[in-house]
Amino acid sequence: MSDVRKPQDKKGPHKKKESILDLAPYLEKRMRVKFNGGREASGVLKGYDALLNLVLDGATEYLKETEETIKTGRKTRQLGLVVCRGTNIVTICPQDGIQQIANPFLQPDQ
């Protein structure tokens, strides 16, 4: 009878998710982002979170070549301030060249 179990407290301290990439050096810099499905955009990185959701200001979308874009000659579209969902992002790189970073998956030699 003394084998009554109390439910676990689920409101205990939670570990904050760590981002695999540190994008802090790229804040306030122009970034180019490629998404699932082939879309591309660029803008000034204003913020990000552990899930790599990005906030881009002054964003520009680069349109795919279609009959409509060929007729109008329009290759870009201004988006302004946007939030890019991290689960849809394929690549992130600086607009002004590429910088090599340390491999976050590489295990240190033991």
Side-chain angles (χ1 to χ4, degrees), residues 48-76:
Y48 66 98
D49 65 10
L51 300 174
L52 291 182
N53 296 314
L54 307 178
V55 177
L56 298 177
D57 193 18
T60 302
E61 179 183 8
Y62 299 93
L63 302 173
K64 291 182 183 179
E65 222 175 78
T66 63
E67 286 183 31
E68 184 179 332
T69 58
I70 292 171
K71 286 179 188 176
T72 62
R74 190 171 170 200
K75 297 182 188 243
T76 61

Side-chain angles (χ1 to χ4, degrees), residues 105-110:
F105 300 106
L106 190 62
Q107 298 294 324
D109 292 334
Q110 295 178 356

Side-chain angles (χ1 to χ4, degrees), residues 21 23 26 29-48 51-64 76-77 79-80 82-98:
L21 293 175
L23 296 176
Y26 301 104
K29 294 189 179 163
R30 194 148 191 86
M31 303 294 285
R32 185 145 183 155
V33 182
K34 293 184 182 182
F35 300 94
N36 288 332
R39 286 186 168 190
E40 292 185 41
S42 69
V44 177
L45 182 65
K46 292 293 186 178
Y48 66 98
L51 300 174
L52 291 182
N53 296 314
L54 307 178
V55 177
L56 298 177
D57 193 18
T60 302
E61 179 183 8
Y62 299 93
L63 302 173
K64 291 182 183 179
T76 61
R77 176 171 61 169
L79 301 175
V82 296
V83 176
C84 306
R85 186 155 183 200
T87 56
N88 291 326
I89 294 173
V90 177
T91 61
I92 307 167
C93 65
Q95 183 81 16
D96 301 326
I98 297 173

